[in-house]
């Protein structure tokens, strides 16, 4: 994966809108615990999101067309404890088995980690196609 010119999402002043952007590329490297997503926005611009220190991830319904409704990225989106518990359980589940529920205390611990910048949750809510959630140590943007 190309590692040049990425900016930590926490310091990006003008985060572009990913509404109706198409997820058009994925590169996953389990050895380095990294994931890169390439999006083509409505105006044709291509943006890359790089996830480092991936703790967990899940994607379903990746198809020929994968359009984002919205991206939820901490700290730009303030995840509630209930949302965290839902998404972390979903990341750890599979189509044929549901992971154990995340306790309220563990959910609060995750929220505390997010606020302190120790972990970053990311959720791609789809208009169509791929739904994705990632829990990682950092997210960077490359334009």
């Amino acid at each position: 994966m190309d590692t040049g010119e990425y900016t930590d999402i926490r310091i990006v002043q003008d985060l572009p809108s990913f509404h109706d952007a198409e997820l058009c590329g994925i590169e996953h490297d389990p050895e380095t615990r990294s994931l890169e997503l390439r999006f083509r926005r409505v105006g044709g611009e291509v943006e890359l999101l790089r996830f480092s220190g991936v703790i967990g991830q899940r994607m379903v319904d990746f198809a020929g067309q994968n359009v984002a409704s919205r991206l939820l990225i901490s700290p730009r989106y303030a995840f509630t404890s209930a949302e965290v518990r839902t998404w972390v359980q979903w990341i750890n589940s599979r189509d044929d088995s549901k992971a154990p529920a995340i306790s309220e205390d563990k959910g609060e611990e995750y929220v505390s980690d997010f606020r302190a910048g120790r972990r970053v949750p990311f959720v791609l809510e789809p208009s169509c196609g791929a739904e994705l959630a990632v829990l990682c140590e950092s997210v960077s943007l490359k334009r």
Side-chain angles (χ1 to χ4, degrees):
M1 286 185 223
D2 181 3
T3 58
E5 301 181 41
Y6 283 85
T7 305
D8 188 308
I9 202 80
R10 291 173 287 209
I11 63 172
V12 173
Q13 296 297 319
D14 57 338
L15 187 68
S17 170
F18 286 88
H19 180 70
D20 287 341
E22 184 170 7
L23 175 60
C24 58
I26 302 168
E27 187 170 343
H28 175 234
D29 187 342
E31 194 170 295
T32 63
R33 294 178 45 222
S34 62
L35 173 69
E36 187 174 273
L37 303 178
R38 188 173 58 250
F39 291 90
R40 182 170 298 108
R41 294 191 309 124
V42 173
E45 308 91 333
V46 174
E47 312 281 353
L48 290 98
L49 290 175
R50 180 177 175 82
F51 303 84
S52 301
V54 173
I55 298 161
Q57 66 193 24
R58 183 175 182 199
M59 177 187 287
V60 296
D61 293 337
F62 185 76
Q65 186 179 32
N66 302 283
V67 179
S69 173
R70 66 180 181 157
L71 305 184
L72 309 177
I73 308 170
S74 177
R76 295 180 179 280
Y77 179 82
F79 286 86
T80 66
S81 178
E83 288 172 317
V84 168
R85 292 192 318 268
T86 297
W87 285 112
V88 171
Q89 182 180 23
W90 187 78
I91 287 170
N92 293 323
S93 296
R94 299 297 172 258
D95 282 344
D96 60 351
S97 68
K98 190 171 185 177
I102 307 299
S103 71
E104 194 167 324
D105 288 344
K106 189 65 174 175
E108 287 300 327
E109 182 183 318
Y110 276 115
V111 169
S112 177
D113 283 349
F114 301 158
R115 288 184 185 133
R118 291 185 292 269
R119 294 182 186 169
V120 179
F122 167 88
V123 174
L124 182 161
E125 291 183 339
S127 290
C128 70
E131 180 174 19
L132 170 69
V134 180
L135 182 60
C136 61
E137 294 169 359
S138 67
V139 180
S140 302
L141 173 70
K142 181 179 181 184
R143 295 178 146 171

